[in-house]
Amino acid sequence: MGKRNQPPSESAAAFGVGQLTRHLFVCIGPDCVDPDDGEETWEYVKKRMKELNIAGKDGPFYRTKCRCLRICASGPIAVVYPEGAWYQDVTPENAERIIQQHLIGGRIVEDLCFARNPLPQGKPADQVRYR
């Protein structure tokens, strides 16, 4: 586990950075959802990904909580990269669906997904067009 007095490269290695295939961000509120409900979803995600042994030194998935993804309705809101699938109403029950179907199975959970913004594949940053 990452420690404050540890060099960032050691923390990154401990979390599987370099071997990750998907990254789940979960907004815990307070604007899109009551913070207690957001925290309940976050705690479920942490516990479940540990139980399934799908996050950590050997990857392949990573999880991050945040306080705002700027979609302040129908939360908790979550997004999975690199597919850029944005999810609404991410309760613990729906988080389980996202873990099983999207993280592990590679299939977007269509009835929860409200937007998509996949990361560019195979283009160097200097070839990606910005407006």
Side-chain angles (χ1 to χ4, degrees), residues 113-129:
C113 183
F114 66 89
R116 295 182 191 194
N117 187 45
L119 295 178
Q121 296 285 323
K123 286 187 178 180
D126 64 342
Q127 292 180 7
V128 176
R129 294 176 50 110

Side-chain angles (χ1 to χ4, degrees), residues 105-120:
R107 295 178 322 277
I108 292 173
V109 184
E110 297 294 343
D111 64 304
L112 298 176
C113 183
F114 66 89
R116 295 182 191 194
N117 187 45
L119 295 178

Side-chain angles (χ1 to χ4, degrees), residues 39-94:
E39 192 64 38
E40 179 184 11
T41 291
W42 173 249
E43 290 301 321
Y44 180 84
V45 166
K46 278 193 340 184
K47 175 184 70 98
R48 190 66 175 131
M49 289 177 76
K50 283 180 188 176
E51 287 173 356
L52 294 170
N53 196 31
I54 58 173
K57 184 172 77 93
D58 297 320
F61 309 125
Y62 198 66
R63 57 180 167 66
T64 299
K65 76 174 172 179
C66 60
R67 295 198 187 275
C68 188
L69 287 170
R70 300 185 70 193
I71 308 292
C72 300
S74 300
I77 299 295
V79 60
V80 175
Y81 285 108
E83 295 84 1
W86 288 74
Y87 292 109
Q88 63 187 334
D89 192 31
V90 185
T91 61
E93 296 80 18
N94 287 337

